[in-house]
Amino acid sequence: MSDYELYYWSVPFRGQFVRAVLAHAGKSWSEAGDVAISDLMGAPVTRMPVPFMGPPLLVDKKAGFAIAEMPAIILYLGETLDLLPKTPALRAMTMKTVNDANDVIDEITLDGGREMWTEKRWQDFVPRLKKWMTLWEETGERHGLKSDSGYLLGGDQPGIADVVTSTLWSTMADRFPVIGAILGENAPKTAALTRRVAALPPLAKLAAKAREDYGEAYCGGRIEMSLRKVLNAQN
């Protein structure tokens, strides 16, 4: 029996962060599937494992505990699996990184598709995307990150901040090479860290499974179609 049940759509996007932390920790999980998610979202709140508006939602089977919202799930896994740094400052920085990643994917999908991408919107957004990337680069540099060594918040092994960083940028760069090129130009140490962590066997295996299961899909829907149309025009 798996350790956890994950409710997330059949795309990588926000749920991939949860999958990555579970894979990094060597934990097993099963996925409820899109129909079960839709059914649960449409059910009365009293029947939900935890009151929630949308996935990801994670059920810890052994603990009998359910939690939704990606940053909250990552915090719970960090606390219960002893994956967070020991100092309050580094724990806070870890959660800042998680929330920054959550903000970036909100912005790359224009708040979940409230609007669609156009060439002008993309060009107006590029400076902000570059600034996001430099936030990662500066954070890493302040903690000793080098082009060929080190981690985002220091230490001698990858932590949640590194797993989340790698998942954010590697998934995006794999689906949208134009974004990968922008990352390499504006945050080369972050790009190198992303590649090193993505190459770890559990994460490499997860990425290969995502490619097998979801193909080119990133977030799905009309918003992904509009993003692809704009970025394909950059090539």
Side-chain angles (χ1 to χ4, degrees):
M1 185 178 75
S2 62
D3 300 313
Y4 300 87
E5 181 84 5
L6 175 64
Y7 290 77
Y8 197 70
W9 308 114
S10 299
V11 292
F13 200 52
R14 211 180 305 272
Q16 200 70 2
F17 298 101
V18 180
R19 296 174 181 125
V21 171
L22 289 171
H24 181 67
K27 296 298 180 179
S28 63
W29 71 96
S30 53
E31 303 216 10
D34 293 359
V35 172
I37 295 168
S38 295
D39 289 346
L40 191 58
M41 288 173 62
V45 174
T46 53
R47 287 178 46 199
M48 294 177 175
V50 62
F52 82 116
M53 288 295 289
L57 182 153
L58 186 72
V59 179
D60 183 336
K61 295 181 178 180
K62 183 176 180 180
F65 175 75
I67 186 67
E69 298 290 347
M70 187 272 281
I73 294 171
I74 301 302
L75 174 62
Y76 176 75
L77 292 175
E79 292 281 5
T80 56
L81 300 177
D82 196 25
L83 297 174
L84 291 175
K86 301 304 180 186
T87 69
L90 290 179
R91 289 199 297 274
M93 285 298 297
T94 296
M95 293 313 301
K96 175 189 180 296
T97 302
V98 174
N99 282 282
D100 281 348
N102 207 36
D103 287 346
V104 169
I105 63 173
D106 276 344
E107 293 193 11
I108 206 73
T109 56
L110 294 173
D111 293 329
R114 289 181 184 274
E115 298 178 302
M116 296 296 113
W117 283 108
T118 63
E119 177 65 26
K120 184 179 187 306
R121 283 198 182 106
W122 177 255
Q123 292 303 328
D124 289 346
F125 175 65
V126 167
R128 184 172 176 86
L129 178 61
K130 291 178 179 179
K131 184 173 181 179
W132 272 119
M133 293 169 173
T134 61
L135 263 60
W136 260 268
E137 194 80 345
E138 179 65 19
T139 298
E141 289 180 350
R142 292 186 187 190
H143 293 88
L145 181 65
K146 307 295 183 185
S147 296
D148 59 354
S149 64
Y151 298 104
L152 190 71
L153 302 179
D156 57 4
Q157 59 185 359
I160 281 182
D162 304 289
V163 172
V164 167
T165 295
S166 182
T167 301
L168 172 68
W169 298 119
S170 67
T171 306
M172 202 179 294
D174 180 63
R175 269 62 178 182
F176 307 106
V178 169
I179 296 178
I182 296 172
L183 180 69
E185 292 170 4
N186 293 274
K189 294 174 185 175
T190 304
L193 171 66
T194 293
R195 291 190 294 270
R196 289 201 308 274
V197 175
L200 295 172
L203 298 184
K205 181 179 179 181
L206 179 68
K209 187 176 190 319
R211 172 62 69 178
E212 178 182 346
D213 291 347
Y214 316 130
E216 288 287 331
Y218 177 63
C219 59
R222 292 175 58 239
I223 185 60
E224 179 174 335
M225 291 174 61
S226 73
L227 181 59
R228 288 192 179 281
K229 183 177 179 180
V230 168
L231 293 185
N232 286 343
Q234 309 296 312
N235 294 327

